[in-house]
Amino acid sequence: MARTPKKPAPSALRTDTKKPNFNGSGKQRSPSPPLSSPGSDERPVGPLGVVVPPEERETVKVNNASLTELKNACDDALKRFLSRPELFKQIHHHTDIRLALGWLSVLVAAGTALYGYKVEFEKSKPVVWVGVGVYVILTTLQTLYTYFVQKNTVFVGKRKTFSKRILTERIIIDSSTIPAKKVQPPPSDSVSPKATPPAYSVLLSYKRSASGGKSLLARGKTGGSRPYTEFFDEKGTMNQEIFEKWVGQLVEDAMEGKTS
């Protein structure tokens, strides 16, 4: 009796019918690497990634009743923190211009006074009047520059890093004081008006570019305000760590390209 040939079991059948992918040289191609977003690995370290040892901080104590002292202390703390070697190099061009105008006016005043002292009054009057006029012009230019050009800018920083290419970052920070305000409750409420404490406000703009500024990689503009009472205790001692975390978060948001 003839035997019927056995059929192969279903599990033994070959189910993979795809042909291997070969390149021109006969070798099998490797899978393509996953795509990554442009510039994802080029973001430099931000302020929150910098650890400041407590021993490097000096105690800052001010008069809580003076808004000028409170603002100056915050401005100085901001500049100390962001100008650390790991972060930005502070650019002092606003200060340099104001100092140049100031020193020039002092030299003009000193030269005019010396000339008027050594020369007779009647003969020295034309030169003295010219010196006085130049002095007034220089001091006026210094005031106008501060008011219209520098305005509220307290920090201008720049940093260059290398990550496959040279990256250039630029940051500009303006600061101001928001005075205390009284919040009027609705007329139906019998609650007395509440006063909001004065606050420190900053406005920050950031830009990161490559190829000498021809390729813009990121741009951000953030801002925020916090009451001075969050940074200073009742004795006027500043909590620099809390202040640095707040400023650092604003800078980090701008570095991510956020706008607020």
Side-chain angles (χ1 to χ4, degrees), residues 87-178:
L87 297 175
F88 300 93
K89 179 181 179 181
Q90 186 175 2
I91 300 174
H92 301 276
H93 65 268
H94 288 311
T95 304
D96 293 340
I97 292 175
R98 289 192 294 108
L99 284 176
L101 291 173
W103 277 109
L104 191 57
S105 62
V106 170
L107 292 176
V108 169
T112 302
L114 182 62
Y115 181 82
Y117 175 76
K118 290 191 173 183
V119 180
E120 294 181 4
F121 178 72
E122 291 298 330
K123 292 182 179 180
S124 65
K125 277 200 302 184
V127 177
V128 170
W129 280 114
V130 171
V132 171
V134 173
Y135 175 81
V136 172
I137 291 173
L138 290 174
T139 53
T140 303
L141 287 176
Q142 185 184 34
T143 303
L144 293 176
Y145 181 87
T146 303
Y147 187 78
F148 290 105
V149 180
Q150 183 178 4
K151 297 181 180 179
N152 294 325
T153 301
V154 294
F155 184 81
V156 179
K158 191 175 182 181
R159 175 170 64 169
K160 286 189 176 183
T161 54
F162 182 78
S163 175
K164 298 182 181 179
R165 50 183 171 174
I166 298 177
L167 306 179
T168 303
E169 299 168 276
R170 184 178 177 87
I171 185 172
I172 301 175
I173 300 179
D174 296 350
S175 73
S176 61
T177 294
I178 301 176

Side-chain angles (χ1 to χ4, degrees), residues 48 74 78 81 175-176 199-204 222-227 230-231 240-253:
L48 296 182
C74 290
L78 183 148
F81 178 53
S175 73
S176 61
Y200 182 72
S201 175
V202 297
L203 182 62
L204 184 152
T222 59
S225 62
R226 290 288 181 86
E230 292 192 13
F231 306 134
Q240 299 178 62
E241 185 176 358
I242 293 178
F243 179 81
E244 290 169 0
K245 287 182 178 179
W246 175 65
V247 172
Q249 186 60 60
L250 292 176
V251 176
E252 294 273 357
D253 291 344

Side-chain angles (χ1 to χ4, degrees), residues 30-44:
S30 58
S32 301
L35 297 176
S36 59
S37 58
S40 59
D41 58 343
E42 295 182 336
R43 183 185 181 280

Side-chain angles (χ1 to χ4, degrees), residues 24-61:
S25 61
K27 296 182 180 180
Q28 188 172 357
R29 294 177 181 173
S30 58
S32 301
L35 297 176
S36 59
S37 58
S40 59
D41 58 343
E42 295 182 336
R43 183 185 181 280
V45 63
L48 296 182
V50 176
V51 179
V52 182
E55 59 271 13
E56 292 188 10
R57 294 193 182 98
E58 297 182 0
T59 302
V60 177
K61 193 171 184 179

Side-chain angles (χ1 to χ4, degrees), residues 185-197:
S188 58
D189 295 345
S190 58
V191 182
S192 58
K194 294 182 179 180
T196 59

